[in-house]
């Protein structure tokens, strides 16, 4: 877990640097796709709960180094978002592109809403309501557009989903899924 | 041996299975890196609520970080240090790579944009040059007209300023056409002046144009006087762009560089108009007269405007000429 955490932290730093530099090339209407959200969403479909939570926390924490605001804001929002994803993963299998699009859009929206709420709570200037709503929706749309390609790219070809494997394992060993306990 | 989990009836041996395949964690469950690793012992309620507990722990840590950051304690200071020392060079390198890549990608559109701009600027430069040339031409014209007006103001009588609109198409006549005619009050025999001196006189008038016979035409004759010695003679054109001073007495005091003025004996030209300068003086032994080359004051190659002096003498000639015709 320590190795995973360090790797995730370094990857998070690299991701944050990429977001702050290269992603400007694909900026559209002052909105960029959220790579950290995308990474956590894709990872949630291929690894277990603990890792997803840790990944979300570490990615958010490393992003906090570069982004403005208080340290921990991204970590907080991403962790909550990962928890939300973990809850939905028990009911939704992201096996087709529609589900992937939907999950990415919802998770990006959740992250945006949480981040805005946190910003307001910490008494940062939130900006106009129109701007907030526009940014959340456009960012979510943009991120969700990258969802299916990211799922396809990161997952190995013809590899079944983690959830599917887990379900199969649970059925074969006649155990009750842990989330249902 | 049974598993420690109360709800789990799996034998513990499954966690102790050796790793036989390194195909990755996607083809089997649990993943290879979890095989042989016994999970941590947790009380039942912790196991049951492990997800909320994980969430609370991580979120709580985030909150602590935020509180620390808002109060600018050690975590925030350390993070700023890390960011400035470690992340900033990375970010700078990435930024320069991004800028380099962007510049490389911008070469093609920049080329076409620059080419279009170049064409537009060339066109604009051409238009501006044309405009400048026109304005310069206007300025020169104004300067010439001012010089002409300054020169002719010294001469009494009304003047008609005219623009030279054409020269004789053949080399046999030293004439120019001006853009003023009968309708503008131009009459025959009106002397024409340039801004440097005498140019000729009007030999033909039409409704809106007239013809001026230049001094350089061989049919033009002007009675002149040498300004310095008051010696008199006749200046006649030589059809070669110059004039000859004829009928100078052999004893006349004429030197090279002497200024020639109209004598006023002519019925066309009033007295005192600058005609030119004496060039080489020539004479033949045993002859009554000597002669000299004359450089006209007016540069006929650059004649563009003339001022016609409306004299009473010209009107008289016109009247006499009309009477003779009838």
């Amino acid at each position: 877990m320590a190795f995973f955490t360090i790797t995730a932290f370094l990857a998070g730093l690299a991701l944050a640097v990429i977001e702050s530099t290269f992603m400007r090339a694909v900026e559209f209407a002052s909105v960029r796709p959220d790579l950290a959200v995308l990474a956590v969403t894709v990872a949630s479909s291929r690894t277990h709960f603990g890792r997803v939570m840790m990944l979300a926390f570490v990615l958010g924490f490393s992003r906090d180094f570069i982004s403005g605001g208080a340290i921990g804001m991204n970590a907080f929002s991403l962790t909550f978002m990962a928890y939300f994803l973990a809850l939905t993963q028990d009911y939704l299998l992201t096996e087709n592109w529609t589900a992937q699009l939907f999950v990415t859009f919802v998770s990006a929206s959740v992250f945006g809403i949480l981040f805005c709420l946190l910003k307001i709570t910490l008494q940062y200037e939130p900006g106009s309501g129109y701007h907030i709503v526009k940014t959340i929706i456009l960012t979510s749309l943009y991120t969700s557009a990258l969802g299916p390609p990211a799922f396809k790219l990161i997952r190995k070809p013809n590899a079944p989903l983690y959830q599917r494997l887990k379900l199969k394992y649970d059925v074969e060993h006649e155990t009750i899924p842990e989330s249902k306990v | 041996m049974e598993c420690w989990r109360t709800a789990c009836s799996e034998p513990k041996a499954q966690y102790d299975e050796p790793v036989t395949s390194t195909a990755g964690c996607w083809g089997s469950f649990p993943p290879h890196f979890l095989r042989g690793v016994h999970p941590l012992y947790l009380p039942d309620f912790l196991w049951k609520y492990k997800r909320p507990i994980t969430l609370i722990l991580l979120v709580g840590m985030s909150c602590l970080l935020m509180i620390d950051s808002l109060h600018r304690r050690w975590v925030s200071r350390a993070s700023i240090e890390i960011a400035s020392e470690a992340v900033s060079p990375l970010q700078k390198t990435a930024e320069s790579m991004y800028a380099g890549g962007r510049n490389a990608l911008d070469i093609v559109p920049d080329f076409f944009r620059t080419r279009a701009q170049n064409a537009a600027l060339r066109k604009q430069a051409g238009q501006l040059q044309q405009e400048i040339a026109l304005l310069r031409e206007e300025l020169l014209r104004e300067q010439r007209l001012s010089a002409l007006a300054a020169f002719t103001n010294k001469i009494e009588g009304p003047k008609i300023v005219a623009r030279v609109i054409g020269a004789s198409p053949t080399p046999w006549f030293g004439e120019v056409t001006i853009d003023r005619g009968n309708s503008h009050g131009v009459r025959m025999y009106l002397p024409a002046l340039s801004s440097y001196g005498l140019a000729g006189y009007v030999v033909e008038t039409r409704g809106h144009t007239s013809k001026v016979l230049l001094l350089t035409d061989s049919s033009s004759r002007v009675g002149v006087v040498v300004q310095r010695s008051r010696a008199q003679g006749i200046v006649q054109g030589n059809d070669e762009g110059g004039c000859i001073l004829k009928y100078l007495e052999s004893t006349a005091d004429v030197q090279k560089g002497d200024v020639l003025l109209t004598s006023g004996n002519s019925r066309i030209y009033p007295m005192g108009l600058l005609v030119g300068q004496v060039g080489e003086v020539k004479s033949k032994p045993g002859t009554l007269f000597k002669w000299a080359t004359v450089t006209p004051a007016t540069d006929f190659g650059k004649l563009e405007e003339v001022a016609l002096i409306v004299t009473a003498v010209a009107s008289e000639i016109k009247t006499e000429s009309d009477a003779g015709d009838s």
Side-chain angles (χ1 to χ4, degrees), chain B residues 7 39 46 68 72 78 92 98 103 112-113 132 145 171 175 177 184 201 217 308 316 321:
Chain B
L46 285 181
D68 180 272
R72 302 192 183 284
K92 206 178 285 179
Y98 169 73
N103 285 340
F112 288 106
R113 202 180 301 127
I132 288 169
L145 287 174
E175 289 176 353
T177 308
H184 303 98
Y201 69 96
D217 191 278
L308 306 176
E316 285 171 17
S321 146

Side-chain angles (χ1 to χ4, degrees), chain B residues 56-312:
Chain B
I56 288 165
L57 280 175
L58 291 175
V59 165
M61 204 182 291
S62 302
C63 290
L64 286 175
L65 285 170
M66 277 188 273
I67 292 164
D68 180 272
S69 178
L70 288 173
H71 290 88
R72 302 192 183 284
R73 296 288 174 85
W74 66 272
V75 173
S76 87
R77 283 206 298 272
S79 66
I80 289 166
E81 286 294 321
I82 291 170
S84 61
E85 294 298 325
V87 181
S88 297
L90 189 68
Q91 208 170 5
K92 206 178 285 179
T93 310
E95 179 63 31
S96 59
M97 283 169 64
Y98 169 73
R102 188 163 192 139
N103 285 340
L105 288 174
D106 281 346
I107 284 175
V108 175
D110 274 354
F111 169 75
F112 288 106
R113 202 180 301 127
T114 309
R115 199 168 69 166
Q117 276 179 351
N118 191 24
L121 287 172
R122 275 175 184 277
K123 189 179 174 185
Q124 197 178 0
Q127 287 172 346
L128 288 173
Q129 277 178 346
Q130 180 69 31
E131 203 171 323
I132 288 169
L134 287 172
L135 287 172
R136 193 173 287 159
E137 192 62 20
E138 195 71 21
L139 179 69
L140 289 172
R141 186 167 175 270
E142 285 299 321
Q143 285 175 346
R144 284 197 306 269
L145 287 174
S146 299
L148 186 61
F151 180 69
T152 54
N153 278 344
K154 296 167 190 166
I155 301 162
E156 289 180 0
K159 290 105 189 168
I160 300 168
V161 177
R163 191 156 64 92
V164 176
I165 56 172
S168 173
T170 63
W172 308 113
F173 297 98
E175 289 176 353
V176 291
T177 308
I178 58 173
D179 64 345
R180 292 288 184 267
N182 286 329
S183 58
H184 303 98
V186 178
R187 298 286 176 264
M188 292 276 282
Y189 306 113
L190 291 184
L193 297 177
S194 73
S195 54
Y196 303 103
L198 189 65
Y201 69 96
V202 177
V203 290
E204 189 179 330
T205 58
R206 293 166 191 161
H208 295 90
T209 59
S210 303
K211 285 198 171 177
V212 174
L213 184 72
L214 301 178
L215 287 182
T216 53
D217 191 278
S218 56
S219 52
S220 164
R221 292 178 183 83
V222 184
V224 295
V225 60
V226 178
Q227 191 178 33
R228 181 179 60 82
S229 63
R230 313 310 293 176
Q232 294 193 352
I234 302 288
V235 168
Q236 185 180 6
N238 65 359
D239 286 332
E240 294 173 358
C243 299
I244 301 167
L245 178 58
K246 296 167 75 174
Y247 305 118
L248 281 172
E249 291 178 3
S250 56
T251 56
D253 181 12
V254 180
Q255 295 174 3
K256 187 177 179 181
D258 278 342
V259 174
L260 299 174
L261 304 172
T262 51
S263 62
N265 296 333
S266 161
R267 298 179 69 184
I268 297 173
Y269 303 109
M271 194 176 74
L273 299 178
L274 179 64
V275 176
Q277 281 188 327
V278 175
E280 197 177 346
V281 182
K282 294 176 181 177
S283 62
K284 281 183 182 175
T287 53
L288 288 174
F289 302 103
K290 59 181 178 183
W291 54 283
T293 58
V294 174
T295 306
T298 301
D299 185 354
F300 293 102
K302 296 176 181 175
L303 187 65
E304 292 183 60
E305 289 93 17
V306 291
L308 306 176
I309 301 168
V310 183
T311 57

Side-chain angles (χ1 to χ4, degrees), chain A residues 20 24 46 65 71 76 165, chain B residues 26 59 66 69 79 91 95:
Chain A
S20 69
R24 276 186 292 159
R46 54 175 281 184
F65 280 113
I71 290 172
F76 181 93
L165 289 170
Chain B
W26 313 113
V59 165
M66 277 188 273
S69 178
S79 66
Q91 208 170 5
E95 179 63 31

Side-chain angles (χ1 to χ4, degrees), chain A residues 83, chain B residues 45-47 49-58:
Chain A
Y83 183 74
Chain B
F45 79 97
L46 285 181
W47 184 262
Y49 299 109
K50 116 180 150 173
R51 286 188 175 193
I53 289 167
T54 312
L55 175 71
I56 288 165
L57 280 175
L58 291 175

Side-chain angles (χ1 to χ4, degrees), chain A residues 13-14 17 20-22 24-25 46-49 51 53-54 57 61 65-66 69-73 75-76 79-80 83 86-87 90 118 122 124 156 159-160 162 165-166 169 173 175 178-179 181, chain B residues 5 8 10 14-15 23-31 33-34 47-48 50-52 54-55 58-59 61-63 65-66 69-70 75-76 78-80 82-83 87 90-91 94-95 97-98 102:
Chain A
L13 278 180
V17 169
S20 69
T21 52
F22 295 107
R24 276 186 292 159
R46 54 175 281 184
T47 188
H48 58 87
F49 171 78
R51 282 200 161 206
M53 291 293 278
M54 186 50 79
F57 177 78
F61 184 58
F65 280 113
I66 290 179
I71 290 172
M73 286 174 75
F76 181 93
T79 310
F80 246 115
Y83 183 74
L87 290 183
D90 288 344
L118 204 56
L122 296 178
Y124 285 100
K156 287 188 176 179
Y162 175 83
L165 289 170
K166 185 168 174 289
Y169 176 84
H173 293 81
T175 55
E178 60 184 49
S179 57
V181 174
Chain B
R5 283 179 63 188
C8 178
E10 289 298 312
Q14 70 165 329
Y15 295 105
C25 60
W26 313 113
S28 59
F29 187 85
F33 49 78
L34 287 180
W47 184 262
K48 189 176 178 183
K50 116 180 150 173
R51 286 188 175 193
T54 312
L55 175 71
L58 291 175
V59 165
M61 204 182 291
S62 302
C63 290
L65 285 170
M66 277 188 273
S69 178
L70 288 173
V75 173
S76 87
S79 66
I80 289 166
I82 291 170
V87 181
L90 189 68
Q91 208 170 5
E95 179 63 31
M97 283 169 64
Y98 169 73
R102 188 163 192 139

